[in-house]
Amino acid sequence: MDDARRDGPLLATLAAITVVTAVVSSLGAPLVPSIARTHHVSLADAQWILTATLVTAAAATPALGRWGSGRLRRPVVLASLGAVLVGTALAALADPLFGFTGLVVGRALQGIGLGVTPLALAVARDVWHGERLVARLSLLSVTTVAGAGLGYPLTGALAGTVGVSGAYAVGGALVALTLLLAARHLPRDADGVPQPVDVPSALLVGLGVTGLLLAVSQGERRGWTSLAVTSGALIGIALLVAWVRRTVALDRAGRQPLVDLRLALRPRLRVVHLVTLALGVAMYTLLTLVVLLVRADGSRGWGLDLGVAVAGTVLVPYALLSVSGSRLAIRASRRFGPQVVLPVGGLVFGSSLLLLALAHDQLWQALLAMALGGLGSGFSFASLPALIVPHVPVAETGSALSLNMLLRYVGFATGSAAAVALLDVLGGDGAAFTTTCLLTAALCVVAGLGAVARR
């Protein structure tokens, strides 16, 4: 097949990879209350269908980025999609066969899909050049966000008609089709030598974050000083300390660590990474709070008592405005500089949580808050590469961006687990909902001020 004829099928395949992995990763947020009831678990436990996906993504993304270099890119993409397919099958069969544990394991495997998107972009960089490359990368970046936005209403519609298991079964069918397309159209040759991957570091990150988040999610129910909670927290901290020490040792020995922490601590980068972590926490706190708001029956002083279909739809403004916000951010960055865009994004995001704290009695208020949140998210995350890339050597660009992506996913996972835990700690009533929103808004303001101080 000549270049002109393969251009269309390859672009369609890469778009399918970015869209479907985003759709499958988002097959969860509107379902948390339904899964809690179906499997007879608490909301904090049910929230792990989101948290597990994001923890896996945090550990897998930098590893897949290195494994997928050069000639191994195609097999790594195919193997990753295969793992996602197994995860959707486990999730679909969880209710009749595997129970809640099988569902969480399946969702964890689906998190590998979030690490495939950078590889799809790398394929585009290999194949296209110049203005065509810019256009293709722009399209693929938009499809990633659009895929997540599509996943929310799709989840609601499917869950309302074929149930939770059916929703994951449809997701599995989409992944299977994407896997077939990838096997047919991904290039079989690629330049470059595969990079070594420090697998122990990936395990230390994933298990360490999991230990800490388990402690956070179980603290209110088991007691913050209970043996299980304190042990989980201490083990998590110990594993993360071990990861830092291992990373430093590998760097001193001249070997390539999973991510370059020495590079991350440079003055103009460390603030960007901390702001990324904070905004990641705020983002998934907002998503969790809005879903719970829509589904809660109002018996505790808050909640709209609407169905899962509405819970899926209410997240669509976030996805759409994220795309629009990223476009506006690019224009604003060109005119005012990226150092202005990040603080503005953090403050706009904070305003969405402030609005939700002050007004959450009507559906339109939730929709408006999500639209503002999407705009702030688009501004914030679109400005990050421009703030990182100019301050690192060309050879270390991938490492710097991988660490930033890892921190983003850690932030997402933390927000996912902490939102429900904080609600419980504060009493779970209307005042608790308002206070949780205000505390998260304050986190955004601090992040925005931190971004200003970076200048």
Side-chain angles (χ1 to χ4, degrees), residues 170-395:
V170 172
L174 292 174
V175 174
L177 178 59
T178 303
L179 181 57
L180 291 174
L181 286 173
R184 174 69 178 84
H185 296 294
L186 282 182
R188 297 181 178 276
D189 53 342
D191 296 330
V193 178
Q195 300 178 27
V197 176
D198 183 26
V199 176
S201 286
L203 293 175
L204 288 172
V205 170
L207 294 175
V209 172
T210 299
L212 285 176
L213 295 183
L214 277 172
V216 169
S217 64
Q218 298 297 315
E220 179 64 15
R221 190 177 69 176
R222 294 177 179 265
W224 293 101
T225 58
S226 67
L227 179 62
V229 170
T230 54
S231 297
L234 291 174
I235 291 172
I237 292 171
L239 290 173
L240 291 176
V241 170
W243 167 58
V244 172
R245 295 184 64 179
R246 179 178 177 83
T247 298
V248 172
L250 289 174
D251 184 59
R252 288 176 176 173
R255 297 169 59 190
Q256 194 172 49
L258 186 68
V259 294
D260 191 339
L261 294 180
R262 174 184 50 80
L263 180 65
L265 293 176
R266 291 183 179 180
R268 297 184 71 85
L269 294 181
R270 60 190 176 207
V271 173
V272 175
H273 291 317
L274 288 174
V275 170
T276 298
L277 179 63
L279 292 179
V281 172
M283 174 180 166
Y284 258 77
T285 300
L286 174 64
L287 295 180
T288 299
L289 290 176
V290 168
V291 169
L292 295 179
L293 173 68
V294 171
R295 299 297 307 279
D297 60 12
S299 61
R300 307 197 67 181
W302 60 282
L304 303 178
D305 196 19
L306 300 173
V308 66
V310 179
T313 304
V314 80
L315 300 177
V316 175
Y318 184 94
L320 295 178
L321 268 295
S322 292
V323 176
S324 301
S326 65
R327 296 302 177 193
L328 290 173
I330 292 173
R331 296 180 182 178
S333 181
R334 289 171 180 168
R335 183 168 183 178
F336 304 108
Q339 67 275 10
V340 175
V341 176
L342 182 58
V344 170
L347 294 176
V348 172
F349 201 98
S351 71
S352 70
L353 285 148
L354 178 61
L355 173 62
L356 195 65
L358 299 176
H360 49 261
D361 297 324
Q362 302 291 330
L363 180 60
W364 69 266
Q365 295 165 341
L367 291 168
L368 180 57
M370 292 304 287
L372 275 174
L375 190 64
S377 177
F379 259 72
S380 301
F381 293 123
S383 63
L384 293 175
L387 292 171
I388 294 172
V389 172
H391 303 291
V392 298
V394 174

Side-chain angles (χ1 to χ4, degrees), residues 29-172:
L31 300 177
V32 170
S34 299
I35 287 171
R37 289 193 296 269
T38 300
H39 292 275
H40 307 291
V41 298
S42 68
L43 276 176
D45 287 341
Q47 193 68 20
W48 273 88
I49 68 165
L50 297 180
T51 306
T53 304
L54 297 168
V55 169
T56 301
T61 297
L64 292 180
R66 295 191 186 278
W67 266 324
S69 301
R71 64 179 181 274
L72 291 184
R73 187 166 294 140
R74 173 187 165 87
V76 167
V77 171
L78 296 179
S80 300
L81 291 175
V84 176
L85 181 58
V86 172
T88 56
L90 282 175
L93 296 172
D95 190 16
L97 294 179
F98 304 120
F100 181 69
T101 301
L103 177 58
V104 172
V105 172
R107 288 290 295 162
L109 286 173
Q110 290 169 34
I112 294 174
L114 292 173
V116 176
T117 295
L119 298 182
L121 299 178
V123 172
R125 289 196 299 268
D126 288 342
V127 174
W128 295 298
H129 307 281
E131 291 299 320
R132 177 170 287 189
L133 172 61
V134 172
R136 298 295 189 261
L137 291 178
S138 177
L139 174 63
L140 294 174
S141 298
V142 170
T143 57
T144 301
V145 179
L150 177 63
Y152 299 138
L154 180 63
T155 299
L158 290 173
T161 54
V162 295
V164 173
S165 295
Y168 287 116
V170 172

